[in-house]
Each structure stands twice: as structure tokens, then as C-alpha cells.
Amino acid sequence: DAKTTQPNSMESNEEEPVHLPCNHSTISGTDYIHWYRQLPSQGPEYVIHGLTSNVNNRMASLAIAEDRKSSTLILHRATLRDAAVYYCILRRNNFNKFYFGSGTKLNVKP
Amino acid sequence: DVKVTQSSRYLVKRTGEKVFLECVQDMDHENMFWYRQDPGLGLRLIYFSYDVKMKEKGDIPEGYSVSREKKERFSLILESASTNQTSMYLCASRGTGPTNEKLFFGSGTQLSVL
């Protein structure tokens, strides 16, 4: 199984940047790195994904280490609506399995 | 956007009952998944399907079966519900190919087995 390690919880102030780390030291060359978040009482929703290069979209940025053994999800300006559990996931190419860990619970303070 | 609909938000069943959880997606996705979510354990894959009538076991298939008779519908079946199957069940779907990396989830069904 492709494993990821994340801190259990983090705290941020509103309107400040947040860097959510993820370690995936057993990553293979064909594993995609995904991030999802889960708001209370909802199913997870897609945030961003990447393979080797850093990625940006309207929700967040994904910074991938050069050796790909870690990645960081960056929320540029945290809002109260960003309070959620964030999951870092690996998906092996040609396989349909997404392995979810326990995630990081992000608390955003006003 | 893709809509993944789970038939019930909350369900209460008795031990030994046969339970059906239904999931429907509206984007013609080939792949559909059933996960269960328990506190401290994250999401664990029960079964997935990559085509009509095709299925593969996930990491925790024991006590569950699935059915995919139509492309848009994926059912999870608990043949004889037990209390350790009390959990949040999440359905997801995904297309195929490099432009279809995203998983789309339903809102979940909280199942309580008494």
C-alpha cells in the first residue's frame, strides 16, 4: 500500500497562508499525489493533484519536493470556510485505488 | 459538475438484516467506489467497479458485496448486518484516462446497526 503521513491537526489565522505537509517516503515513480478535503457532514472534495511538478489552481497550490518523498499543500489565504480535514493521498498509475490516511484537521481562527 | 447521490443520509438497521446502500452518478463515469469512514481510521476502500458487472475487492471487503447492473448505479450490500458495520459509508466515482484524476464523492450514509 502507498502510505502517507500527515500531522493530526494544525491551526491557522484567518487570511494568513497555511502550509499543510505530507510525507510519502515510499512513493514510486508512477504515483500521483492527490489532496482532498472534507468539510463537516460532507463527503471529501478534490483540491489538487500532481505528479512531479508544482501545481496551482483556484483553490490551492501543491509543492512537490524534488525527490517526491514529501509534498505541501498551500492555501494562500485561509478563510473560516477552509476549516476541514485535509487528506494527502497517493494513486498508483494504472491502478484505481486511492489510499486515504487519517488526514490533518485544520482549524482556522478568526 | 458531477453529482454523486447516495439514497439515504441516515439509516438504522437491526443486526442480521440485509441492507442495501445505493449510489447513483450522473456523469457516465466508468469507475465507482465504496468506502467506509471510521474515526481515527480515515477512509478505507471496500469495493470498486471499473465497468458494468465488473468489481474488485478493496482493502476490507469481508461482510460486504456489491452490484453494478447499470453504469450509473453502484450498490453496496450488507448480507447480514452486524454492529461492527456501524459506520459512515461514502460512494465515489471517477472517469477514465489522464484527464480524469478527480474522485467525486457523495455526501455519505451514516449507518447504525443496533
Side-chain angles (χ1 to χ4, degrees), chain B residues 1-107:
Chain B
D1 241 355
V2 173
K3 191 163 185 185
V4 179
T5 303
Q6 294 184 232
S7 53
S8 304
R9 187 73 179 95
Y10 299 96
L11 213 50
V12 180
K13 297 291 181 181
R14 297 216 173 268
T15 303
E17 275 193 79
K18 190 169 185 176
V19 181
F20 292 86
L21 301 182
E22 306 286 345
C23 176
V24 177
Q25 50 94 4
D26 66 359
M27 278 300 288
D28 203 36
H29 283 169
E30 292 81 5
N31 306 290
M32 296 186 75
F33 307 80
W34 276 106
Y35 287 87
R36 65 176 280 177
Q37 183 173 30
D38 300 288
L41 296 177
L43 278 76
R44 293 179 291 167
L45 181 64
I46 305 171
Y47 266 98
F48 67 97
S49 168
Y50 52 91
D51 202 349
V52 174
K53 298 190 187 294
M54 307 305 288
K55 61 185 179 185
E56 282 201 30
K57 293 180 180 178
D59 300 312
I60 51 163
E62 297 77 20
Y64 303 95
S65 62
V66 290
S67 172
R68 189 143 180 228
E69 297 297 319
K70 293 185 177 182
K71 193 174 186 181
E72 67 271 17
R73 187 179 298 270
F74 191 35
S75 302
L76 180 69
I77 303 154
L78 288 65
E79 294 289 342
S80 177
S82 64
T83 55
N84 63 12
Q85 291 178 310
T86 291
S87 186
M88 171 67 80
Y89 289 87
L90 289 158
C91 175
S93 75
R94 172 178 170 255
T96 299
T99 60
N100 287 290
E101 276 296 313
K102 295 182 188 180
L103 265 180
F104 294 87
F105 281 88
S107 297

Side-chain angles (χ1 to χ4, degrees), chain A residues 7-106:
Chain A
N8 288 333
S9 63
M10 291 183 65
E11 201 164 74
S12 169
N13 294 317
E14 197 176 10
E15 298 191 3
E16 289 186 0
V18 182
H19 290 232
L20 296 162
C22 180
N23 286 319
H24 27 79
S25 57
T26 60
I27 193 170
S28 79
T30 59
D31 286 348
Y32 284 84
I33 301 162
H34 282 243
W35 284 82
Y36 284 74
R37 71 179 187 181
Q38 188 173 21
L39 302 170
S41 302
Q42 295 187 25
E45 66 172 341
Y46 170 86
V47 177
I48 201 164
H49 79 276
L51 184 60
T52 55
S53 304
N54 295 343
V55 184
N56 299 297
N57 67 21
R58 63 174 181 82
M59 287 182 75
S61 295
L62 175 61
I64 301 172
E66 202 168 324
D67 63 4
R68 300 211 324 129
K69 293 184 185 299
S70 66
S71 62
T72 302
L73 179 71
I74 302 163
L75 306 179
H76 296 286
R77 284 185 68 200
T79 70
L80 297 178
R81 289 174 297 175
D82 291 323
V85 177
Y86 287 79
Y87 296 97
C88 168
I89 300 145
L90 300 182
R91 185 189 77 79
R92 188 143 294 167
N93 197 19
N94 296 324
F95 285 84
N96 231 338
K97 291 186 179 182
F98 290 72
Y99 294 98
F100 285 75
S102 298
T104 296
K105 185 172 184 179
L106 176 66

